[in-house]
Amino acid sequence: MTEYLTMEDVRARASELLPAWKKNQIYELRSAIKVFATAARQPASSIHADPQILRVLVAKASPQLVGISKPRWANIRSLIDRALAGIGVLTIRARQRCAVSPVWQELMDRAETLNTKAHLSRFARWCSREGIDAADVDDTTFSTFEDELTEFSLAKNPGSTAAEAGRAWNAAVVQIEGWVGTAVPTRCRRKIVTVPWDALPASFAANVDDYAARRIKPGKFDDVMVRALRPTTVKGHIDNLRRAAGFLIRGGLPADSVTSIKALLTTDNVKKLLDMVWGDADIASPSACQYSHGFVSIARFLEFDDAHLGTLIKFSRRCRRPQIGMTRQNRERLSIFDDEQALLAMYTLPARIADARRKLNDIDYRHAVDMRLAVCVEILLMAPIRRFNLANLDLAKHIVWPTCPDGDIRITIPTPEVKNSVDLHHFLPPESAALVRLYVERFRPLLMKTSTDALFPGDVDGFMTPNSLGRLVRVGLRDHLGIDFNAHLFRHFACMNHLREHPGDYETLRRLCGHKRLDTTVNFYADTETDAAIQRFHDSTVLRIRNRDDGFFSQDMV
């Protein structure tokens, strides 16, 4: 199929392009394309009937936010997939019904008891169609298979699909006696930068271990820095040191010269590393920024001499990236909520989850997990605190219950537990307090493995870890709303919506987010009120002046 088509062309010309389809099937396809365009937030006339474009749109689409159920969305994708295959745009379908050659059918039957059959199924059908015998399969075969998936299928991740097929093939070669064919090289798409510890001098590993222990739990009388760092922060420092060593060793640095952290972070080594990761852009890459800032922190703690430390600080300042506004990725994720229906879906999610479970007589662990998600989202909507503070909310320490049934719940987090050492004070209104009370009284006990005061019980000292809670929110929102959204984005979400309703009110947001300086709030969120500012300009200037005219712009322009 060489004709240039858009999805609107497919919809309008479905009867011509798919003459073998029945009338009811054509009607369903037209409806499916219309709904798909709504979920993709683009007109069908601007969506190319191209697998690579459609794959991106499917990944970004949020069907549940526009009222499309999961079964309906699956049917829509299946109809479009089948239609494009019928037109000739696709040649590899997820559930294509092409015949499998006898040799491949015998191999698939023998793989029945293994977990490899599912991963090999599409590959076997493709090989059968292309006339590739199992004995002729090699690494080139899988490379060609990946290229075909990319060009002529709607596979979510063609590279991963091909890699999983390769791993399944190798497992079958090893585990099934008499399997036709030989193993192929493992397909690893990740760029390996770090070097194994045993490739470095033992003194370097010992120095890193000592540094990590002292940063997590510093001595009471350390002269340089007495504030403990979180284990995740220290792990980031260690990972950066290993990656730095990997870059430099691959760049020609002898591995046996890396005897300690100071030996690694010499001025020349750091300069060479930053040159390698900077790239060709005018401003430093995020990696260069991360490395340089982390190295300064390490150098201060290890008391590098003044000249050495001063040079590292100079490098760090040179790598500083001006951050004004949210990142492009965060803006894209939040742009979904330009739609009023999507906005309401987010704000009403906790209540909808609770309403479906509060009336149940028999509740189990699954219901408790859902209610935990509802409470997490409700707190983040009303009090957008950081993930670390949310995971560590203590019923006895941080929560003040109301004295009356319809009162507010107070959340107070003291200075030592807050990232920027600012006390946080929030309250949850009566409807939110009722949701939290329902969760604590009926559902939270089902989540407790030990006695704990944690609002969200877990395995580490009775609390969920921030990473586990973040995963809960991310997976929960993907399941319920079909969006890619994390816990920290709720801070941006809250500020964006407030500035749209109250442009210029940064002081409220400064207090809400617990920022020390108003500049921080303005720098991050000034661009979120751009649409509101432009709308005010249109209404108060352009449209007001046009209204002085005799009505030319009110005429029908079509």
Side-chain angles (χ1 to χ4, degrees):
M1 185 71 188
T2 58
E3 183 181 0
Y4 171 85
L5 291 173
T6 66
M7 294 306 294
E8 177 60 26
D9 295 329
V10 176
R11 191 190 71 81
R13 299 169 51 196
S15 299
E16 171 194 344
L17 296 171
L18 299 164
W21 283 36
K22 298 178 181 179
K23 287 186 177 181
N24 65 316
Q25 293 175 315
I26 296 295
Y27 176 81
E28 290 176 357
L29 174 62
R30 287 173 173 165
S31 175
I33 292 175
K34 183 177 180 180
V35 176
F36 178 84
T38 300
R41 294 180 293 151
Q42 291 189 26
S45 58
S46 68
I47 301 176
H48 298 168
D50 180 276
Q52 298 186 59
I53 294 175
L54 293 174
R55 185 182 301 116
V56 174
L57 292 178
V58 168
K60 291 185 176 181
S62 303
Q64 290 154 285
L65 282 180
V66 291
I68 305 172
S69 66
K70 285 185 178 181
R72 172 62 173 150
W73 181 244
N75 289 337
I76 288 171
R77 292 185 57 185
S78 178
L79 271 171
I80 292 176
D81 186 81
R82 187 155 62 94
L84 295 181
I87 294 170
V89 173
L90 303 182
T91 59
I92 304 180
R93 294 189 57 207
R95 294 185 179 180
Q96 57 187 349
R97 293 180 173 86
C98 66
V100 180
S101 68
V103 174
W104 279 105
Q105 186 61 58
E106 180 187 354
L107 292 177
M108 297 304 292
D109 291 340
R110 295 173 66 185
E112 185 72 40
T113 59
L114 296 177
N115 193 28
T116 57
K117 184 174 181 179
H119 295 312
L120 279 177
S121 177
R122 185 183 291 188
F123 178 70
R125 294 197 304 268
W126 176 78
C127 287
S128 298
R129 193 196 70 194
E130 297 294 318
I132 301 174
D133 192 77
D136 299 327
V137 170
D138 56 16
D139 187 46
T140 304
T141 309
F142 283 98
S143 296
T144 306
F145 177 57
E146 180 180 342
D147 293 339
E148 290 263 338
L149 287 173
T150 302
E151 293 288 338
F152 304 111
S153 83
L154 294 181
K156 182 178 180 180
N157 191 328
S160 295
T161 301
E164 287 173 353
R167 287 192 289 270
W169 172 269
N170 288 342
V173 169
V174 173
Q175 299 177 29
I176 300 180
E177 185 178 356
W179 183 269
V180 179
T182 58
V184 298
T186 303
R187 303 173 61 80
C188 182
R189 301 173 59 84
R190 193 187 325 180
K191 183 179 179 180
I192 305 299
V193 176
T194 58
V195 293
W197 285 112
D198 56 12
L200 298 167
S203 59
F204 177 74
N207 189 206
V208 169
D209 290 341
D210 177 68
Y211 167 78
R214 291 169 57 202
R215 289 308 296 265
I216 294 173
K217 191 174 182 180
K220 294 182 174 61
F221 301 101
D222 280 353
D223 295 332
V224 180
M225 184 179 294
V226 296
R227 181 184 177 187
L229 294 183
R230 295 172 185 167
T232 52
T233 304
V234 177
K235 182 180 181 301
H237 286 185
I238 295 173
D239 290 342
N240 283 342
L241 290 172
R242 286 190 67 190
R243 281 193 291 266
F247 272 119
L248 292 169
I249 290 172
R250 285 172 173 78
L253 180 71
D256 57 6
S257 67
V258 187
T259 56
S260 66
I261 295 177
K262 285 186 178 181
L264 175 67
L265 300 184
T266 63
T267 300
D268 291 340
N269 284 346
V270 172
K271 184 177 180 180
K272 183 177 180 179
L273 171 70
L274 296 179
D275 281 337
M276 293 169 67
V277 299
W278 181 296
D280 298 327
D282 294 333
I283 61 174
S285 65
S287 296
C289 181
Q290 180 182 4
Y291 281 123
S292 62
H293 294 350
F295 292 162
V296 169
S297 175
I298 293 170
R300 281 186 171 137
F301 185 82
L302 295 180
E303 300 183 79
F304 284 20
D305 62 73
D306 293 343
H308 192 176
L309 177 60
T311 303
L312 295 183
I313 292 174
K314 188 187 300 182
F315 290 163
S316 177
R317 289 172 178 169
R318 179 69 182 87
C319 292
R320 188 171 296 163
R321 290 168 57 88
Q323 178 64 49
I324 300 177
M326 292 181 289
T327 64
R328 179 181 60 83
Q329 184 182 53
N330 285 341
R331 286 196 298 269
E332 287 180 355
R333 289 176 176 176
L334 290 172
S335 66
I336 297 173
F337 298 100
D338 293 341
D339 180 76
E340 188 70 19
Q341 186 176 358
L343 196 64
L344 289 174
M346 174 65 88
Y347 275 114
T348 58
L349 177 62
R352 287 187 282 114
I353 293 176
D355 286 343
R357 289 152 185 83
R358 73 170 74 240
K359 300 175 183 178
L360 296 174
N361 293 323
D362 297 324
I363 58 175
D364 56 25
Y365 180 80
R366 293 179 296 106
H367 301 134
V369 170
D370 290 338
M371 282 297 296
R372 180 173 60 186
L373 171 66
V375 171
C376 280
V377 173
E378 183 69 12
I379 292 176
L380 289 171
L381 289 172
M382 294 295 179
I385 57 180
R386 294 178 179 88
R387 186 182 64 174
F388 175 83
N389 296 122
L390 180 64
N392 287 279
L393 284 179
D394 189 304
L395 291 171
K397 185 178 180 181
H398 302 127
I399 307 295
V400 180
W401 294 96
T403 55
C404 55
D406 58 348
D408 302 331
I409 285 180
R410 297 281 168 173
I411 299 177
T412 302
I413 303 175
T415 296
E417 300 179 28
V418 183
K419 176 182 177 181
N420 59 346
S421 302
V422 175
D423 281 347
L424 295 180
H425 299 278
H426 293 280
F427 73 88
L428 304 180
E431 57 271 19
S432 302
L435 176 63
V436 176
R437 190 186 297 276
L438 173 67
Y439 160 75
V440 171
E441 292 178 353
R442 290 194 61 196
F443 296 89
R444 178 176 168 272
L446 297 176
L447 302 172
M448 295 174 59
K449 297 180 181 179
T450 60
S451 178
T452 177
D453 288 328
L455 179 61
F456 304 113
D459 297 330
V460 180
D461 297 329
F463 289 79
M464 288 188 73
T465 64
N467 286 341
S468 296
L469 185 134
R471 192 180 307 112
L472 164 75
V473 173
R474 187 174 65 253
V475 174
L477 291 178
R478 185 173 63 239
D479 290 343
H480 287 275
L481 299 180
I483 60 175
D484 183 11
F485 207 83
N486 57 56
H488 192 77
L489 265 179
F490 277 94
R491 293 170 67 82
H492 303 328
F493 179 75
C495 294
M496 176 189 74
N497 292 323
H498 182 77
L499 287 174
R500 285 177 175 176
E501 298 293 330
H502 308 282
D505 185 14
Y506 292 103
E507 178 59 23
T508 296
L509 298 182
R510 185 189 72 80
R511 294 174 181 270
L512 179 73
C513 294
H515 293 156
K516 284 185 176 180
R517 298 187 302 274
L518 188 63
D519 290 348
T520 303
T521 311
V522 175
N523 286 340
F524 263 99
Y525 302 114
D527 61 340
T528 62
E529 61 175 349
T530 300
D531 289 349
I534 292 174
Q535 187 64 52
R536 286 203 310 273
F537 165 71
H538 289 167
D539 294 341
S540 62
T541 304
V542 179
L543 297 181
R544 186 173 64 82
I545 294 174
R546 279 182 176 174
N547 286 337
R548 301 173 189 170
D549 187 69
D550 58 3
F552 175 79
F553 277 95
S554 64
Q555 299 177 19
D556 188 359
M557 294 291 179
V558 181

